[in-house]
């Protein structure tokens, strides 16, 4: 696998693996919104499209007739679709596959996880102790969703390194090198089959047990459906929320006025979290064109891969006044960080809980912090955007309450 | 003022319930509906407006009746 060639023209030859896009995509999206609302690229099999305005992103998200979810990652070379219901499902299969999972992720069910989330954040902060520096992505953000989803699935939290390895292969490396994907997916499936076997006939208060007992039209889930959904729950909830927490901390480290304001007035937390979700939305989904159509005056050819960029939609000035400014007290915020339409992120309540608790607990312990001088954040590439290294210099730790 | 949630549009983002829990609640699937008859007391009118303006699916409706 070689590095992609640098992009010369974002409108006709875009590449979301380009280092400029990874580092700071916002000026690129602003440029595209102004001159070419649907960019294209021949770098990806059957061609790829990228919509940068809210209106087109919304239209595509709502249109399952022309845009299928069977491929949710734009890849250089297409692979056989790997079902992970319901994210890869289209109507009519989508509705029952999603409805099955919704009760486990409802606001009421997720709020029960708050004490657990708070405890695990405090444990991670205790481990940082009174150090003068740390990596807030590596030492803090990345562990929170891994431990919580492991807790929910009923698998060992100590397997976190394994989960992060699979996610890195599937969502990052696999965009350019499809040979790594199937072995990673097979490893994940084998892992879950072993967990199912371990349970025997016994059921616990965990999502694997929940899915084993689930029925659609009176029938248990097929093995591919069951394991596909389990892989989805593992992949979808980890680097996404890790990115959301990391981007929020990055913002607070690089904008001391916002950090001080939030520390002084914690009642701003709900609007601040929504604004971080808008401005630094981690997740870009994808669709595959299944029927030729036109959106925003631009033709979409059959088989084309579509990058469905909720992050770019969230920066559209036609939708959000001062779209390029992060305003932690923004009261009207119809952002699309969790998607739009039938595929609204199933874990949005969980992600909001994790982000809120993670930032509250961090600020309670470290109200003063900044990027270490001369050091830089590094960002992930591909489907999910967030900092993977956050070298911080820390002020004095406050005593845990 | 009265609020209601268009069940066809609601996708369970839960923004209305978070902003105005006095006016909205979620069912066991996480989809929202107005509490009771949806009538908004005057002191909650601003919250009702905010709930509407934060719904990503444009599912929250306000009528003046």
């Amino acid at each position: 696998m070689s590095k992609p060639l640098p992009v010369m023209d974002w409108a006709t030859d875009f590449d979301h693996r380009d280092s400029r896009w990874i580092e700071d995509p916002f000026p690129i999206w602003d440029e595209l919104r102004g001159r070419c609302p649907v960019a294209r690229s021949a770098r990806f099999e059957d061609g790829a499209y990228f919509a940068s305005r809210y209106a087109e992103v919304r239209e595509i998200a709502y249109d399952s007739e022309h845009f299928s979810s069977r491929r949710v990652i734009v890849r250089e070379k297409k692979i056989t679709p790997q079902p992970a219901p319901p994210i890869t499902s289209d109507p009519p299969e989508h509705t029952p596959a999603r409805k099955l999972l919704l009760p486990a992720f409802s606001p009421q069910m997720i709020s029960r996880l708050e004490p657990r989330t708070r405890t695990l954040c405090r444990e991670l902060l205790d481990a940082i102790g009174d150090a003068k520096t740390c990596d807030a992505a590596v030492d803090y953000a990345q562990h929170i969703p891994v431990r919580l989803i492991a807790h929910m699935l009923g698998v060992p939290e100590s397997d976190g390194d394994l989960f992060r390895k699979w996610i890195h292969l599937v969502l990052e490396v696999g965009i350019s090198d499809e040979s790594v994907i199937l072995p990673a997916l097979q490893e994940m499936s084998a892992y879950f089959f072993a967990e199912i076997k371990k349970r025997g006939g016994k059921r616990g208060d965990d999502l694997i047990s929940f899915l084993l007992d689930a029925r659609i039209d009176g029938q248990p889930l097929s093995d591919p459906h069951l394991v596909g959904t389990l892989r989805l729950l593992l992949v979808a909830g980890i680097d996404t929320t890790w990115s959301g927490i990391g981007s929020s901390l990055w913002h607070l480290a690089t904008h001391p006025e916002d950090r001080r304001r939030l520390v002084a007035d914690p009642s701003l937390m709900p609007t601040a979290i929504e604004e971080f979700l808008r401005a630094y939305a981690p997740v870009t989904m994808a669709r595959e064109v299944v029927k030729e159509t036109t959106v925003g005056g631009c033709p979409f050819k059959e088989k084309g891969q579509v990058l469905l960029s909720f992050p770019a939609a969230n920066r559209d000035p036609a939708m959000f006044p001062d779209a390029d400014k992060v305003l932690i007290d923004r009261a009207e915020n119809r952002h699309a960080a969790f998607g739009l339409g039938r595929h609204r992120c199933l874990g949005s309540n969980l992600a909001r809980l994790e982000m809120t608790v993670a930032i509250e607990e961090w600020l309670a312990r470290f109200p003063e912090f900044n990027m270490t001088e001369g050091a830089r954040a590094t960002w992930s590439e591909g489907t999910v955007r967030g900092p993977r290294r956050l070298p911080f210099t820390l002020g004095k730790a406050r005593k845990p309450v | 003022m009265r609020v209601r949630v268009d069940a066809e549009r609601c996708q369970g983002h839960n923004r209305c319930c978070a902003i105005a829990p006095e006016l909205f609640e979620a069912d066991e699937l996480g989809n929202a509906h107005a509490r009771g008859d949806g009538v908004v007391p005057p002191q909650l009118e601003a919250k009702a407006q905010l709930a509407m303006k934060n719904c990503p699916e444009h599912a929250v409706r306000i009528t003046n009746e």
Side-chain angles (χ1 to χ4, degrees):
Chain A
M1 167 186 124
S2 55
K3 276 265 158 212
L5 292 170
V7 169
M8 305 303 280
D9 179 15
W10 294 108
T12 56
D13 182 38
F14 80 81
D15 195 328
H16 55 303
R17 300 164 299 177
D18 187 284
S19 61
R20 287 163 292 173
W21 184 300
I22 292 166
E23 189 79 14
D24 185 17
F26 309 114
I28 301 169
W29 300 343
D30 289 343
E31 179 203 318
L32 286 175
R33 243 179 253 116
R35 73 181 180 103
C36 178
V38 179
R40 56 187 200 277
S41 175
R43 296 176 181 230
F44 305 90
E45 190 174 338
D46 296 324
Y49 302 93
F50 174 82
S52 51
R53 300 194 305 205
Y54 185 93
E56 284 81 22
V57 169
R58 182 167 191 253
E59 193 175 333
I60 294 166
Y62 282 157
D63 180 358
S64 54
E65 186 194 339
H66 299 96
F67 299 96
S68 166
S69 287
R70 66 188 179 200
R71 296 179 199 277
V72 286
I73 301 175
V74 168
R75 301 187 188 282
E76 200 171 288
K77 287 203 186 74
K78 286 182 174 177
I79 58 166
T80 312
Q82 301 291 319
I87 201 170
T88 56
S89 312
D90 293 312
E93 289 80 18
H94 173 263
T95 304
R98 178 176 172 88
K99 211 168 167 183
L100 181 76
L101 293 168
L102 282 170
F105 291 87
S106 70
Q108 301 90 317
M109 290 299 282
I110 293 303
S111 66
R112 294 187 194 172
L113 292 167
E114 180 175 340
R116 170 84 198 163
T117 311
R118 220 167 271 288
T119 303
L120 79 87
C121 289
R122 287 181 186 176
E123 285 167 1
L124 293 165
L125 290 163
D126 289 345
I128 296 170
D130 50 12
K132 298 283 169 280
T133 61
C134 81
D135 186 319
V138 174
D139 301 329
Y140 188 65
Q142 71 168 353
H143 298 293
I144 297 165
V146 169
R147 291 191 188 177
L148 214 55
I149 200 70
H151 171 74
M152 292 175 77
L153 287 166
V155 300
E157 290 184 4
S158 53
D159 288 339
D161 286 339
L162 198 54
F163 303 160
R164 282 187 294 264
K165 181 192 86 174
W166 290 331
I167 289 166
H168 180 63
L169 291 174
V170 173
L171 296 185
E172 294 198 76
V173 182
I175 291 176
S176 311
D177 178 5
E178 74 284 0
S179 71
V180 303
I181 300 167
L182 285 181
L185 293 179
Q186 277 158 5
E187 270 184 47
M188 291 170 80
S189 300
Y191 179 88
F192 282 119
F193 279 124
E195 281 294 325
I196 290 165
K197 203 169 167 200
K198 227 195 263 179
R199 277 163 183 72
K202 291 204 196 76
R203 296 289 181 266
D205 188 19
D206 60 78
L207 285 171
I208 295 178
S209 297
F210 173 83
L211 285 171
L212 285 168
D213 286 341
R215 297 288 181 273
I216 292 182
D217 296 331
Q219 297 299 311
L221 305 185
S222 66
D223 278 355
H225 186 148
L226 176 67
V227 171
T229 296
L230 287 169
R231 287 198 314 250
L232 168 65
L233 294 180
L234 188 72
V235 170
I238 293 182
D239 63 339
T240 49
T241 314
W242 159 19
S243 296
I245 296 168
S247 293
S248 306
L249 289 173
W250 174 82
H251 179 88
L252 294 169
T254 52
H255 297 77
E257 67 289 357
D258 284 343
R259 176 169 49 75
R260 290 188 198 108
R261 202 174 156 209
L262 199 52
V263 169
D265 183 3
S267 75
L268 287 170
M269 192 60 75
T271 50
I273 294 294
E274 294 308 314
E275 182 65 343
F276 297 149
L277 281 166
R278 181 192 70 83
Y280 308 113
V283 182
T284 295
M285 286 308 302
R287 295 288 186 265
E288 183 175 33
V289 185
V290 285
K291 203 194 273 185
E292 201 163 294
T293 188
T294 304
V295 177
C298 302
F300 285 74
K301 288 198 183 121
E302 205 175 315
K303 292 187 183 170
Q305 307 187 66
V306 183
L307 266 188
L308 190 57
S309 180
F310 300 112
N314 280 351
R315 293 278 186 149
D316 184 348
M319 181 66 188
F320 302 95
D322 292 317
D324 57 340
K325 292 198 178 69
V326 177
L327 307 171
I328 62 169
D329 58 355
R330 191 186 289 271
E332 294 176 17
N333 197 344
R334 233 188 262 270
H335 70 76
F338 293 111
L340 292 168
R342 72 180 78 249
H343 286 281
R344 185 269 304 170
C345 171
L346 183 77
S348 63
N349 298 305
L350 177 60
R352 284 188 163 107
L353 171 76
E354 290 181 63
M355 282 179 68
T356 304
V357 172
I359 303 305
E360 280 174 358
E361 291 297 324
W362 177 280
L363 291 178
R365 193 71 62 93
F366 295 110
E368 295 289 328
F369 58 96
N370 51 267
M371 296 294 298
T372 298
E373 225 175 293
R376 297 174 63 189
T378 60
W379 299 82
S380 59
E381 71 170 81
T383 304
V384 179
R385 181 173 193 269
R388 293 295 171 264
R389 314 260 343 170
L390 278 178
F392 279 5
T393 297
L394 303 169
K396 196 173 158 38
R398 283 195 187 162
K399 287 229 166 11
V401 183
Chain B
M1 182 185 276
R2 197 189 282 263
V3 289
R4 71 178 181 88
V5 178
D6 182 338
E8 292 293 306
R9 285 178 172 259
C10 177
Q11 296 290 351
H13 290 262
N14 201 41
R15 298 292 297 126
C16 57
C17 301
I19 289 169
E22 306 89 338
L23 300 173
F24 301 93
E25 61 187 341
D27 64 17
E28 78 284 356
L29 296 180
N31 294 325
H33 54 262
R35 283 184 190 270
D37 55 9
V39 171
V40 181
Q43 72 274 16
L44 292 177
E45 286 186 359
K47 269 195 178 186
Q49 294 282 357
L50 266 189
M52 182 186 74
K53 288 173 180 169
N54 278 277
C55 176
E57 311 286 348
H58 297 256
V60 174
R61 299 294 162 78
I62 294 182
T63 49
N64 290 305
E65 48 181 274

